[in-house]
Amino acid sequence: MTPSQQATDPAPSASAAVVAWIMVLSLAGLVALLIVWDLLRRSGAGIAWPTLLDRTGLTMAAATAGGVAAFGYGLHLRRTQRLIENTPTSPVRSLPMGFVEVAGIAEADRELLRSPFSDQACVYYEYRVQELRGGGRSRRWVTLAAEQSSEPFYLRDAGGRVLIVPMGATARLSHEHVLTNVWPDALPDHIRRALQHLNMPTASWLGPRRIRCRERVIASGAPLYVLGTAQENPAGPLHAADTSRVYIGAAPGDRPFLIADQTERALLARLRRLARLCIYGGPLLTAGALAWWVVRG
């Protein structure tokens, strides 16, 4: 967060978290009342309780667990949002050592990388290869491989540039390129070759494999936001006019390391939307699933 934003933006408030917890506790109380009511109704009428062992019961159990997980993820997003809001943006020219926030544009260290599936020129890429398995309602995408590029690149602002070592970073990137052969069209030849290079053929003795490749990149010149730890670069010169003796990367412990291809303002807006969706939608999903399971006959 820039100094001007610190002066004008309202201080972070816990009101949203309080409202979320009130909502969760209220829904939990409602579900408890429904369970007690249904227990009395079934006991008086001699009606058996539904079992979790049938397909509908398993679906409801999965929805219940998904709602709880969504709520927990929403709290994690809210903590990340607060951390970004409370961390001042440091200019590269006077970058302190330790936990920092920097913002600028992405710049290649040497030559641009080529992403393996979409073949885009970039300074960073990450991909996930998945296969569709199972049948009917049990179909699901299973991750076969996931990787992020480890080559360093630079963040440049008005005063200079600093090296970013992306290993171990959590990347929040705004665009995703998805290629799949789930539909009648086949994967392009260069995708097939990339998969073969990863020892993942698109067909087996059982027939064609349903493959999906998901890829995200940071292009050179794209907006870049980094929240991480500035530390001495052992490969850099001892005396330099710029910050080549320093790099930003992961640090031991639980300090976050976040990279985004958007401005801080856009990143915060995205985190707020996702956090609200998970914090409020998760309990609603859990409560709805439990209530439906309790009262279904």
Side-chain angles (χ1 to χ4, degrees):
M1 175 176 291
T2 63
S4 60
Q5 286 176 316
Q6 284 182 306
T8 58
D9 287 354
S13 171
S15 59
V18 171
V19 170
W21 280 111
I22 291 174
M23 182 178 180
V24 171
L25 294 175
S26 300
L27 289 172
L30 176 61
V31 170
L33 288 175
L34 285 172
I35 291 175
V36 172
W37 170 78
D38 202 55
L39 176 61
L40 295 174
R41 180 178 67 89
R42 290 174 184 275
S43 298
I47 303 174
W49 272 61
T51 177
L52 280 174
L53 297 180
D54 60 11
R55 178 171 294 180
T56 303
L58 291 174
T59 301
M60 292 302 100
T64 301
V68 173
F71 180 75
Y73 184 61
L75 293 179
H76 168 72
L77 292 176
R78 182 60 55 84
R79 287 192 295 269
T80 302
Q81 172 196 329
R82 297 306 187 204
L83 181 62
I84 293 173
E85 290 172 338
N86 294 330
T87 304
T89 302
S90 300
V92 168
R93 180 175 296 174
S94 55
L95 191 68
M97 303 300 289
F99 192 65
V100 295
E101 170 186 285
V102 290
I105 61 171
E107 187 175 280
D109 181 15
R110 295 182 180 86
E111 294 183 359
L112 288 171
L113 305 177
R114 305 296 304 191
S115 61
F117 295 110
S118 59
D119 196 33
Q120 298 181 68
C122 59
V123 300
Y124 170 89
Y125 64 80
E126 62 180 27
Y127 66 79
R128 188 179 302 272
V129 180
Q130 299 173 308
E131 182 180 10
L132 186 63
R133 294 180 179 175
R137 294 185 179 181
S138 64
R139 289 197 307 172
R140 68 194 188 281
W141 287 103
V142 177
T143 298
L144 305 178
E147 186 176 334
Q148 61 179 174
S149 61
S150 58
E151 287 79 2
F153 55 91
Y154 282 100
L155 178 146
R156 179 180 289 278
D157 67 5
R161 66 180 191 172
V162 62
L163 193 67
I164 308 297
V165 180
M167 290 182 293
T170 298
R172 294 197 170 275
L173 307 183
S174 53
H175 301 290
E176 184 175 57
H177 197 65
V178 180
L179 292 164
T180 179
N181 65 347
V182 170
W183 305 112
D185 54 303
L187 292 171
D189 289 340
H190 72 280
I191 303 295
R192 196 185 310 275
R193 287 193 296 269
L195 290 171
Q196 290 174 347
H197 180 72
L198 295 172
N199 197 26
M200 295 179 186
T202 57
S204 67
W205 64 275
L206 293 174
R209 302 172 70 189
R210 299 292 184 89
I211 299 294
R212 179 171 69 183
C213 306
R214 308 176 66 172
E215 185 180 76
R216 300 185 298 173
V217 306
I218 299 177
S220 179
L224 188 62
Y225 171 88
V226 178
L227 186 72
T229 303
Q231 44 204 301
E232 291 287 346
N233 181 8
L238 295 177
H239 303 284
D242 58 18
T243 54
S244 57
R245 59 187 175 84
V246 175
Y247 75 93
I248 298 176
D254 58 353
R255 282 186 173 181
F257 181 26
L258 174 66
I259 297 175
D261 64 340
Q262 51 197 307
T263 64
E264 181 181 355
R265 185 180 298 275
L267 175 61
L268 283 172
R270 183 183 180 190
L271 288 175
R272 289 190 189 102
R273 288 193 300 269
L274 288 175
R276 291 192 190 104
L277 177 63
C278 293
I279 288 175
Y280 298 114
L284 284 173
L285 176 61
T286 297
L290 287 174
W292 190 90
W293 178 74
V294 166
V295 301
R296 74 186 177 97

